[in-house]
Amino acid sequence: MTTPLKPGHRLLADAAPLAAASPLALADSAAEAIGHELGRSVRLVSAELETNGEAQTDDGELVSPSAVVTAVLPQKGQELRTEVTAHLEGEAAYSASVRFAFAEAIDNSDDVSDLFCPGSAGWNSALRDRLREDSEFSTLIEAYDGTIGIAIGGRPVHFRCYRGHVLEVVARSILGADFVLSIPGDVFIDLVTAERNRFMETAMSGRMRSSGSGYEYLRMTSALIRIIDHARAMAVTAGYVGSERVLETNLQVA
Amino acid sequence: MTTLNHTNAPAATTLRAHQLIIDDRIAFVEDWGDIDATPLLAVHTAGQSGVQYRHVAADLAALGYRVIVPDLPGHGRTEPAKNGPVTDLGEYARFGLTVLDQLGIDRFVAVGCSIGGKITIDLAVRVGDRIIAAIAMAAGSRPGHVSLRGLTRELVDISTPSRGDRTYWGTRAVVGSAIDEERRELIARMHCREDPIVSNSDLIGWGRHDVSAGLPGVTCPTVLVAGEDDLWIDTAAIRRDAESIPRGTFVLLPGIGHYPMEEMPDFAEAVDSWVRSAGTRGADSRSADSRRAGAGAVDTGSADRRTEELEAARS
């Protein structure tokens, strides 16, 4: 097997524009191009398409594809799952994003860092350890008895908190989360590899969505920014592509 | 009247301050520069005060302006309006005119940012014949995109969790990418001084005020200024507003966000250049003027971004 790609790896940078076609046909073309670029015996295992509502592009319109690796994780023993989000931008009104997952056989899953998959059990544990050692985060949740929820590329992460203590960081807490902030995988990659923490800009631009208790979500504004600070530090540690831009003084909440 | 020596720009200006009585309430007004210089009314943003012009008022005075910086009712050192927090920006426009009338000023340059920008457009519609040039920053003529329902609910304190945090982070988010961390931090910390009820009421005014029907009748030269990194505004709509004003100009500021007077070290020079070129400009010289180096660039179609997330959280 070849070396697994890392999150943040950009694909289709040199891809030729696609000719106008139906959304599904365009997504299929993107999948084929990504599979070809991966250059291995990958197979497509899932695709989730979302368009901006423009059903068809105009005849003759060209659609520019781009893509980024959002997560890499071993599964089912000897298999590697690589998650990729592709964007398709038409010259006029059409745009779409497609979340792909590709699978391939691997010899040894030990080669794949837990930190390559935000929201995995290993990633959650590493984040829990950082938060427990962070007295500032403890201060931010001093008056909180509840569960912060985020979802990264559809993968839920629950932070069970009580009086300044992080009890656990897991995929699903017993009573669920007070609110969930859903962060698309590619948006999360942008957040953790940007020069500075752009959480609020991302929220204000509508690239993340919250559900559940709006009041608890607002109350945890600074705690969420601090969580992203730590996620950014973890991206640097893991060597996400693009994380070299992250400034050393990346903790925003102080 | 109190006279203070300005200590930031050596021997450049003397700052006067007035306590005027408007609608039976004390109104605080800074008055910078030579008393016979060209009057320039500078209007602050929602929830803030004239302190936003503290770094640039002296510079403008040094360039030949008499800079009148009022604190709007309920802001800074001006007492609250008798009828409670203001939600109609037209009231602020009338307040500004009363300030000028009491100081004996007829013709003036109007400069404002955010709600101050909307107030500036309102003044251009209302009394364009008195205005030498109107410089409206970070604002359009139509209602801004906010959740009026959420803002109204947040007039009750229990509905505003982490307001201070949100003001701080939200301000940082709309400071332009060209601004260094030290200035970004200072701007955000200063903005946290707001009165939450007054600030929310201002934003309700931002979400309601509409003077778009009056744009074709504006007689004064008007420059609509947008920061490239401003998440609060619809740049394309502001550009269309400029095109609707007979002597209108649109200027896009690369790397600048929602607060040009707090972000731009050369703000005074930029304003002076906009005023000077606006006075000699015809309606057909729009693009050439707004391409001037250092004073912005023609908008190339920035995305129509919204504050959806904050609005959703507040709704």
Side-chain angles (χ1 to χ4, degrees), chain B residues 53-293:
Chain B
Y53 291 91
R54 67 196 180 280
H55 289 295
V56 300
D59 297 337
L60 284 163
L63 289 172
Y65 295 95
R66 177 185 177 189
V67 187
I68 307 297
V69 190
D71 290 344
L72 295 172
H75 302 71
R77 295 170 66 173
T78 293
E79 291 181 341
K82 268 201 306 191
N83 297 324
V86 173
T87 56
D88 174 3
L89 301 187
E91 279 192 42
Y92 287 148
R94 288 190 289 275
F95 172 87
L97 288 175
T98 304
V99 167
L100 296 172
D101 290 344
Q102 290 202 11
L103 296 178
I105 293 169
D106 179 23
R107 287 179 56 75
F108 61 99
V109 173
V111 176
C113 182
S114 192
I115 67 160
K118 283 191 178 294
I119 293 164
T120 298
I121 299 172
D122 182 305
L123 288 169
V125 171
R126 195 181 292 257
V127 292
D129 56 330
R130 288 179 60 180
I131 296 178
I132 299 164
I135 314 295
M137 304 179 290
S141 67
R142 295 175 188 278
H145 298 287
V146 289
S147 165
L148 292 174
R149 186 163 155 260
L151 288 167
T152 302
R153 187 169 57 238
E154 288 201 359
L155 293 173
V156 180
D157 205 43
I158 194 174
S159 303
T160 61
S162 297
R163 168 179 274 283
D165 275 2
R166 286 186 287 139
T167 295
Y168 172 74
W169 293 113
T171 301
R172 286 180 58 98
V174 295
V175 171
S177 56
I179 310 310
D180 64 33
E181 172 59 25
E182 185 178 359
R183 185 172 284 252
R184 183 185 303 273
E185 170 72 10
L186 179 61
I187 293 170
R189 288 294 175 207
M190 289 292 287
H191 283 211
C192 290
R193 297 177 172 193
E194 66 186 348
D195 177 314
I197 303 301
V198 170
S199 187
N200 254 46
S201 301
D202 287 347
L203 291 175
I204 290 170
W206 167 269
R208 286 179 177 166
H209 203 60
D210 188 348
V211 291
S212 56
L215 296 185
V218 171
T219 56
C220 61
T222 303
V223 183
L224 302 188
V225 180
E228 182 184 41
D229 298 331
D230 187 349
L231 300 176
W232 274 102
I233 58 172
D234 179 345
T235 304
I238 293 175
R239 184 172 49 182
R240 287 194 296 273
D241 279 350
E243 290 167 357
S244 298
I245 298 172
R247 301 168 73 188
T249 305
F250 176 79
V251 172
L252 183 72
L253 299 173
I256 300 299
H258 194 64
Y259 312 103
M261 67 286 191
E262 296 182 279
E263 299 177 37
M264 296 170 64
D266 59 347
F267 176 79
E269 290 80 4
V271 168
D272 186 48
S273 71
W274 295 329
V275 171
R276 289 178 186 279
S277 56
T280 59
R281 173 171 39 227
D284 58 349
S285 58
R286 182 171 295 123
S287 297
D289 284 335
S290 49
R291 277 195 206 104
R292 270 192 323 279

Side-chain angles (χ1 to χ4, degrees), chain A residues 140 142-146 178-179 213-224, chain B residues 161-162 165-166:
Chain A
L140 293 171
E142 181 63 41
Y144 184 51
D145 173 8
D178 296 331
F179 65 90
S213 170
Y215 290 106
E216 290 297 66
Y217 167 51
L218 295 179
R219 213 158 69 91
M220 291 296 110
T221 297
S222 288
L224 285 164
Chain B
S162 297
D165 275 2
R166 286 186 287 139

Side-chain angles (χ1 to χ4, degrees), chain A residues 82-93:
Chain A
T82 301
E83 296 178 355
V84 175
T85 296
H87 290 284
L88 303 165
E89 297 290 338
E91 293 173 307

